Amino acid sequence: MTHSVHLQNVRKVYRIGKERVVAIDDISVSVKTGEICCLLGTSGSGKSTLLNLMAGLEKPTKGLIEVNGIRIDSLNERQLARFRQNYVGFIFQSYNLLPTLTALENVSLPLTFRDVPKKIREEKAAEMLKAVGLEKYILHKPSQMSGGQQQRVGIARAFVSKPPIIFADEPTGNLDSKTTEDVIQLMLRIANENGQTLMIVTHDQHIATYANRIIRIADGNIVSEEYQQREIV
């Protein structure tokens, strides 16, 4: 099986005034294609920084980062933007929907950046919204939807262009337990159907039980890894 993500001796150091803060300390790890992987850790453990490095949102202080066969640690900002457009989908805790756009328009945004014709991107966005159970809400704006519905729009947007890798940063942090269950199962089902790699960052031990693999992070280091069987409903 091939690897979607490969990190070798990756280190990330922030400079705050005269101080140096080590956020990631010499991490080496690989994630297989199609794997449902959870980065688990408390606030400040380095898990979100690690996700940002994998997604090309931040550059390492040193080390090698390869994603979908592309070495991204040496790319410039323009190349990184193109990389994210073509290979990565994002799901955020705060949804990050544009408030002035409808659900259909929000979901079609990644296709706009890929220069997909309007008719085709609207068809694909409508199809994706139907897949997440929001076919009746395609013309609704975020303010007209619940938190769970907004997160479903966020999921549809992340998956609409069928990128090889989906990064989800605390995707259920603003949701109740019932909606959390629905949203996680939805993400897992779509990722499995498409053979996509799904990386979930969370501090919640319960959310981690949904993954095939749990990577525990503490003080910028991987402290343990655990593989588990999980049936997708």
Side-chain angles (χ1 to χ4, degrees):
M1 186 178 288
T2 58
H3 290 107
S4 283
V5 181
H6 174 66
L7 278 67
Q8 184 175 327
N9 302 120
V10 170
R11 183 176 173 87
K12 179 65 178 179
V13 179
Y14 295 103
R15 293 190 178 276
I16 303 176
K18 294 182 179 180
E19 293 188 26
R20 295 169 70 254
V21 178
V22 179
I24 297 297
D25 187 15
D26 197 34
I27 281 182
S28 295
V29 68
S30 295
V31 178
K32 295 177 181 177
T33 300
E35 194 167 27
I36 308 297
C37 185
C38 176
L39 299 177
L40 178 65
T42 59
S43 178
S45 62
K47 61 187 186 300
S48 290
T49 299
L50 185 58
L51 180 143
N52 289 340
L53 289 166
M54 292 178 174
L57 294 172
E58 295 191 46
K59 286 197 170 188
T61 304
K62 74 169 190 176
L64 178 151
I65 304 176
E66 190 174 87
V67 180
N68 212 54
I70 301 169
R71 184 167 176 179
I72 67 170
D73 58 274
S74 58
L75 299 182
N76 60 37
E77 290 304 319
R78 185 172 182 177
Q79 291 169 327
L80 282 169
R82 179 61 64 182
F83 158 78
R84 290 191 293 268
Q85 288 171 13
N86 291 330
Y87 297 101
V88 173
F90 294 97
I91 302 170
F92 303 95
Q93 176 178 348
S94 56
Y95 320 134
N96 282 23
L97 304 178
L98 295 180
T100 60
L101 300 185
T102 64
L104 186 72
E105 291 167 335
N106 268 288
V107 173
S108 66
L109 272 178
L111 300 173
T112 303
F113 296 137
R114 289 190 177 191
D115 297 324
V116 175
K118 183 178 181 181
K119 184 175 184 296
I120 295 175
R121 66 177 184 254
E122 287 186 348
E123 287 175 355
K124 288 182 178 293
E127 180 182 329
M128 199 67 236
L129 283 165
K130 182 178 180 180
V132 300
L134 292 179
E135 61 267 31
K136 295 180 181 179
Y137 294 85
I138 62 172
L139 298 181
H140 284 59
K141 293 183 178 178
S143 62
Q144 298 170 305
M145 292 181 282
S146 68
Q149 289 167 340
Q150 290 184 64
Q151 191 58 295
R152 285 172 178 265
V153 175
I155 291 168
R157 179 184 58 191
F159 282 97
V160 70
S161 58
K162 295 187 176 179
I165 306 169
I166 303 291
F167 292 104
D169 194 356
E170 299 281 5
T172 61
N174 291 333
L175 305 177
D176 60 48
S177 57
K178 173 61 169 66
T179 307
T180 290
E181 173 79 17
D182 293 342
V183 163
I184 290 291
Q185 290 289 355
L186 181 61
M187 289 193 299
L188 267 59
R189 176 176 59 80
I190 299 174
N192 275 277
E193 287 175 356
N194 295 331
Q196 291 161 297
T197 304
L198 176 60
M199 300 285 299
I200 304 172
V201 165
T202 186
H203 66 278
D204 190 333
Q205 296 273 353
H206 177 65
I207 298 300
T209 65
Y210 291 90
N212 305 133
R213 179 184 178 194
I214 302 171
I215 300 174
R216 287 182 171 82
I217 312 291
D219 299 323
N221 291 281
I222 293 176
V223 294
S224 69
E225 295 186 54
E226 176 186 344
Y227 291 86
Q228 57 188 8
Q229 294 295 321
R230 174 70 189 180
E231 183 178 350
I232 309 304
V233 179

